[in-house]
Amino acid sequence: MTSPPCPYAALYEPEFHADPQTVNERLRKEYGPVIPVELEPGVRGWSVIDYATLISWCRDTRTFSRDSRRWRDWREGRLADDSGTLGMMMHRPNVLFADGAEHQRLRRAVTDSLAATDPQALTEVARASANQLIDAFCERGEAELLEEYARLLPFLVINHLFGFEEENARRFAVAMRDLFDGIHAERANAELERVASAEITRKRRQPGKDVTTGLLEHRAELADEEILQHLVLIVGAGNEPTANLIANAMRILLTDRDLGDDVAGSRTSIEDAVDRVLWSDSPLTNYPVMYPTSDIPLANGQEIKEGEPVMLGYAAANRNVAQEYAESMGSAPNRAHLAFGVGPHRCPAQDTAIMIANTGLRTLLRRLPGLRLGVPPEELEWRVSIFARSLTRLPITFDPQPPSAEGTPWKQSHSSPETSTASPDASAPSGRSSLSNFLARLMRGR
């Protein structure tokens, strides 16, 4: 006798990540545009998976708050101290968790600081960094693209964006990578704080045209803790979705023969291919989170209680709309996806993320002829993360190529000996998202 279908989406179960769309569609038919979810055993919430509803609710700043101090389970002491959801959802003094005037103050500081950088110069940094990373493995004819490229490229570019010194940028990138993977997290977190504190101190003495200086000098007069939390937010959270986008896009290019051939034949641009991936495999799935300020009745007779977490199901909403357009018009819409949010909290760094992904993919395809998947597609696995859509690995093979001679190839030995540079192996935790592990440890001061 088979068990009845689960009455909610268990976001922490590997079975959900193997085929999330099937689960979402089953629950959509039963509950409508907002479905019940379980973030971890005993921790419940909701996910809004309808495109129009998601847009409407994200713009309704009176009914919904981003301040997670409203989270009912946390507020009433029902969460364990080691809950894996705390790292991503506990309140921090940065723009992601702010409402109203405080959100406007912090967002203005972030957007002004980002706007002070030269987009063309940053694109050149992305291209040079991509070549540097490729040079480290191009002669081998094979690589693990997620670990050796997709995760590292955003870090290198974003660290430059923040004006870090080269060696500090390397140390910061490796420390953040170790934190994401849960490898020697305490040591890596201490390294991150040392580097960030040193850079804040250095930028006070030697300001430059970079985001760190912009945050320090902004008229919003951010406290050092606010600056540090924004460094972690933009550098850390900015890397994870961008890395996932690069890897997800490359997976589709290598497994969807029609799209891959169209890109190779210049019938489809890299930019359009990336937009297609943002519709079909959004790197963020159920994040950020909103909290109702009062009870909300649903059309099916259920009710979302004040303070219950409402996850923003961008991936499900995007995919559903893309399928509807494909069926009615023959192709999915282009840039109206919600992969970077909507409303007042729309990601202020989306242009940078898109530029990094486009540059990274274009450089890969140019540099590595004969690029192909290193394992059968069915052997690829998805990480178990309630917030992200991410592969566990992406092996590739290609025709061996000489280095570009544009600079020193990226080598892990550049990092501080105090920080691990080991690749994930049996010692690394499996199952729960390494992003969640990292932020959970960070919130508990470990």
Side-chain angles (χ1 to χ4, degrees), residues 112 145 160 203 244 325 328 334 373:
D112 288 351
L145 198 66
H160 177 88
K203 287 299 177 181
N244 294 344
Y325 271 76
S328 63
N334 194 6
L373 197 59

Side-chain angles (χ1 to χ4, degrees), residues 251 254-255 373-382 391:
R251 178 191 71 85
L254 296 178
T255 57
L373 197 59
V375 297
E378 59 271 16
E379 291 186 13
L380 295 176
E381 297 180 353
W382 296 99
L391 292 164

Side-chain angles (χ1 to χ4, degrees), residues 110-132:
V110 171
T111 55
D112 288 351
S113 300
L114 288 169
T117 60
D118 181 353
Q120 189 59 42
L122 196 63
T123 300
E124 178 57 29
V125 169
R127 188 194 64 80
S129 298
N131 280 310
Q132 181 186 35

Side-chain angles (χ1 to χ4, degrees), residues 144-215:
E144 204 296 276
L145 198 66
L146 186 60
E147 292 297 318
E148 297 186 80
Y149 190 76
R151 284 186 174 177
L152 293 174
L153 179 59
F155 272 135
L156 292 175
V157 180
I158 293 172
N159 283 331
H160 177 88
L161 181 65
F162 278 81
F164 284 12
E165 287 185 328
E166 182 177 354
E167 184 57 26
N168 275 350
R170 292 179 183 273
R171 290 168 56 196
F172 196 84
V174 174
M176 288 293 291
R177 178 190 178 208
D178 284 353
L179 283 168
F180 277 123
D181 290 333
I183 302 174
H184 303 299
E186 293 183 27
R187 185 186 307 170
N189 183 56
E191 174 77 344
L192 183 150
E193 291 183 351
R194 280 194 293 270
V195 172
S197 296
E199 285 298 322
I200 290 173
T201 299
R202 186 175 69 85
K203 287 299 177 181
R204 288 195 186 280
R205 296 180 185 142
Q206 300 174 342
K209 293 183 178 180
D210 52 69
V211 175
T212 306
T213 300
L215 292 172

